[in-house]
Amino acid sequence: PESRYATMAVNILAIAVAAAAVRALPAHRPSAAARTPLGCLSGGRASIVALADSDEDGYGLLGSAIRQGPLPAFQRIAFPQKYEASVQKFMAEKRCSRKEAQGNIDAYLADPDSYALNELRSRKPGGPPVPDYANVNTDPKQIALTSVWALIVFAIAGRIIQVYVANPYPGP
């Protein structure tokens, strides 16, 4: 049981360190020529946090995480060339903006079955329109509420780890 708690503590610590590292990166809006698959590159400093509003610039890694969750963000980190190629191919086929292409690719990576179902439903006459994947989950109020909720959950988890790892077998 002690190793399980220690593993959980290490995982939470790794998440906290990753979150702090992402927050420490400078946010900026680069030109399309200066963009890398993960986000933006300017003057030798990378920014994966930038949430660009411009359709031609798309959005950074944090934008993927906010819109569709951690799975597309992890895919973007693990396979940057494949992600970039998918976005470029979608842009060429659908003749759409980078932001729209990223939204669709992120939605596909998060849940391919639902994405395909939404596409098929929208093709039917009188069917519902395709969701706006480029702007989904970007309401500032909802982002703030989700952040507060996550902070509460991590605080409780941290306290549980602190109590059980520091003193796993309390005596009388």
Side-chain angles (χ1 to χ4, degrees):
E2 288 180 19
S3 64
R4 184 175 68 190
Y5 295 125
T7 302
M8 189 171 24
V10 169
N11 288 339
I12 290 178
L13 180 64
I15 290 170
V17 168
V22 167
R23 271 189 247 128
L25 291 173
H28 63 287
R29 293 180 190 207
S31 66
R35 187 176 30 258
T36 65
L38 285 179
C40 312
L41 188 64
S42 174
R45 296 185 320 181
S47 174
I48 56 175
V49 180
L51 287 170
D53 293 327
S54 170
D55 283 344
E56 79 176 39
D57 286 341
Y59 50 81
L61 182 62
L62 186 60
S64 291
I66 287 173
R67 286 169 175 81
Q68 295 294 335
L71 190 56
F74 289 139
Q75 290 282 337
R76 200 168 169 175
I77 291 170
F79 308 106
Q81 289 84 11
K82 185 176 177 183
Y83 180 85
E84 184 63 25
S86 299
V87 169
Q88 294 296 330
K89 181 179 176 186
F90 192 92
M91 287 172 59
E93 287 178 1
K94 301 289 185 176
R95 297 181 191 264
C96 63
S97 68
R98 180 174 181 81
K99 185 176 176 182
E100 185 179 341
Q102 281 183 295
N104 280 277
I105 296 299
D106 289 344
Y108 176 79
L109 292 173
D111 189 1
D113 295 332
S114 291
Y115 180 81
L117 184 63
N118 286 337
E119 288 292 319
L120 289 174
R121 284 182 182 166
S122 70
R123 291 181 186 167
K124 285 185 178 180
V130 177
D132 181 13
Y133 295 118
N135 297 312
V136 70
N137 298 331
T138 56
D139 177 31
K141 182 179 175 184
Q142 189 61 42
I143 292 171
L145 291 173
T146 302
S147 299
V148 168
W149 176 248
L151 182 65
I152 292 169
V153 168
F154 280 114
I156 291 170
R159 179 66 180 147
I160 290 170
I161 290 170
Q162 180 185 16
V163 168
Y164 286 107
V165 171
N167 192 10
Y169 302 105

